[in-house]
Amino acid sequence: PLRNADGLLDPDKVSAAVFDAVRQALHAVQLDSVREIGLQDVEIVLPEADGIRVVGIANAAVSQTGAGSMDLVAKGDMDGRAFFLDASATRDLASSRIAALAADVRLSEPKADAGAPPGARLGTLSLHLAGSEGADSTAHLSASLSLVGAVLDLDQRGMLSADLALDASLTTGTNKISVDRMLLKTGRSTFNFAGSIGPKPKDPAAPLEEASYRYDLTSDNSTLAPEDSPEPALPFVARIAGVYRTVSHKLVAEAIGLRSGPEGEVTGHAEVEFADGKAPGVLLALNVRNMPVSHVKQLWPWFSAYNARHWVMQNLFGGRVVEGSLQYDVAPGRAGNGVPLGPDEVFGRFRV
């Protein structure tokens, strides 16, 4: 019921489902029915396929706070991670539309196990949700998400820690989610983007086209500073746009553009192919024009031609890259399988 004719999540249907669920909850605690519903010491075991296995509810209560309004408070744990939920909603008694909705969710890190080896972890997650339905049938939802202390295990490359802050909104009729801010901080680098994500309308001239989501993100205030680089932090502006193909499970960046000064620029495209039980396949093709060497060193992806990159980082200083190109092309399951990449999988050329 949340998908359109192409099988993609429909932003309008998602918004309607959220407000309909709130309406049903308000109805359940109206004056002539039940004024409060409570749970205490309840454990819910979910199927393995759902990802989350056990949800423990220490206590939860949905209560009426007035005509057409309610509060929901709950705390417990999800697979060993403590959570807290505090939500409220109010509806217009005459029209039954949701006049105000607010919810705060916090999911903490699991308790540390002194005997467990360090590894990837999600960190602490906080989410604030707000919304309302207007008198003109236009609904608006906004969400602010914060993820602090996340760690990604890069195997031989070590651990990568990151913090994420995301502000997004959804307004009926726009067929997209507006990304008002997506701020990712990792090490000394900061990536600050904004744009939109949503289902891509089918092209009548291409009936066999895969159902896809499209995205378009831009940044005018990001900084790149790899931990192993001796160069100063690099401010840059950028745009990345493309699609996610839901049948072939490919995330495609059809257009990549980056500028780090008045002249130099990087353009290119990329593709990530996801496969069950395998490392994703990656295609990355970049072209460089008239850019200082120090900038190119900052922009060189850490996963591409590691030995060559390390030599350049430590030995090449000053000058400009008049033109250059870099390509990284590995199939799903290829990266990290113990076999060094060949010259047909990663190669580049730079004229300094």
Side-chain angles (χ1 to χ4, degrees), residues 232-310:
L234 175 66
F236 68 90
V237 298
R239 175 177 179 261
I240 180 170
V243 297
Y244 174 70
R245 298 170 182 160
T246 58
V247 177
S248 58
H249 304 295
K250 291 182 179 180
L251 179 64
V252 181
E254 299 167 330
I256 299 174
L258 183 149
R259 296 183 71 91
S260 60
E263 296 179 352
E265 67 176 356
V266 175
T267 59
H269 62 276
E271 183 177 299
V272 180
E273 181 179 356
F274 299 96
D276 290 341
K278 297 181 180 180
V282 178
L283 167 64
L284 175 66
L286 299 175
N287 297 302
V288 182
R289 183 182 67 83
N290 195 27
M291 182 173 283
V293 167
S294 61
H295 293 193
V296 176
K297 289 166 67 175
Q298 299 291 68
L299 294 166
W300 192 325
W302 59 266
F303 55 81
S304 178
Y306 176 78
N307 290 333
R309 177 181 178 275
H310 180 72

Side-chain angles (χ1 to χ4, degrees), residues 23-336:
R23 244 185 303 276
Q24 292 176 13
L26 283 164
H27 177 74
V29 292
Q30 65 183 358
L31 282 171
D32 57 351
S33 181
V34 180
R35 297 195 181 190
E36 182 171 299
I37 302 172
L39 294 174
Q40 189 171 5
D41 296 330
V42 175
E43 184 174 90
I44 303 171
V45 180
L46 302 173
E48 286 191 33
D50 290 345
I52 299 172
R53 292 299 315 279
V54 180
V55 178
I57 301 175
N59 55 68
V62 182
S63 57
Q64 181 184 158
T65 55
S69 62
M70 71 169 189
D71 282 348
L72 166 62
V73 178
K75 65 178 181 179
D77 69 88
M78 299 169 59
D79 288 341
R81 299 171 61 93
F83 74 86
F84 179 77
L85 168 64
D86 186 0
S88 63
T90 303
R91 69 174 173 178
D92 181 82
L93 296 178
S95 64
S96 195
R97 64 181 176 85
I98 303 302
L101 166 65
D104 287 285
V105 181
R106 180 179 174 84
L107 185 63
S108 302
E109 282 194 80
K111 295 180 179 179
D113 184 349
R121 63 177 186 268
L122 180 62
T124 298
L125 184 147
S126 300
L127 173 66
H128 175 73
L129 181 69
S132 62
E133 292 179 303
D136 57 355
S137 299
T138 298
H140 181 80
L141 277 173
S142 64
S144 295
L145 181 144
S146 171
L147 185 61
V148 178
V151 176
L152 181 64
D153 189 348
L154 301 178
D155 197 21
Q156 297 179 358
R157 305 293 186 219
M159 303 292 177
L160 179 68
S161 60
D163 296 335
L164 173 67
L166 175 66
D167 295 329
S169 58
L170 190 164
T171 301
T172 53
T174 61
N175 197 41
K176 66 180 180 181
I177 295 174
S178 294
V179 180
D180 306 312
R181 180 184 67 143
M182 183 171 64
L183 178 62
L184 176 66
K185 295 182 178 180
T186 174
R188 299 185 299 143
S189 299
T190 300
F191 304 93
N192 192 4
F193 280 81
S196 62
I197 302 171
K200 180 183 178 183
K202 272 292 187 69
D203 183 356
L208 299 181
E209 181 183 34
E210 268 189 63
S212 303
Y213 296 96
R214 61 184 176 182
Y215 64 92
D216 194 330
L217 301 169
T218 60
S219 173
D220 59 4
N221 183 28
S222 291
T223 303
L224 188 59
E227 295 290 339
D228 61 347
S229 173
E231 302 290 349
L234 175 66
F236 68 90
V237 298
R239 175 177 179 261
I240 180 170
V243 297
Y244 174 70
R245 298 170 182 160
T246 58
V247 177
S248 58
H249 304 295
K250 291 182 179 180
L251 179 64
V252 181
E254 299 167 330
I256 299 174
L258 183 149
R259 296 183 71 91
S260 60
E263 296 179 352
E265 67 176 356
V266 175
T267 59
H269 62 276
E271 183 177 299
V272 180
E273 181 179 356
F274 299 96
D276 290 341
K278 297 181 180 180
V282 178
L283 167 64
L284 175 66
L286 299 175
N287 297 302
V288 182
R289 183 182 67 83
N290 195 27
M291 182 173 283
V293 167
S294 61
H295 293 193
V296 176
K297 289 166 67 175
Q298 299 291 68
L299 294 166
W300 192 325
W302 59 266
F303 55 81
S304 178
Y306 176 78
N307 290 333
R309 177 181 178 275
H310 180 72
W311 186 92
V312 168
M313 285 288 182
Q314 303 302 320
N315 296 281
L316 189 58
F317 296 90
R320 300 184 72 84
V321 175
V322 180
E323 63 177 358
S325 62
L326 177 68
Q327 183 160 317
Y328 178 87
D329 187 3
V330 299
R334 176 68 177 89

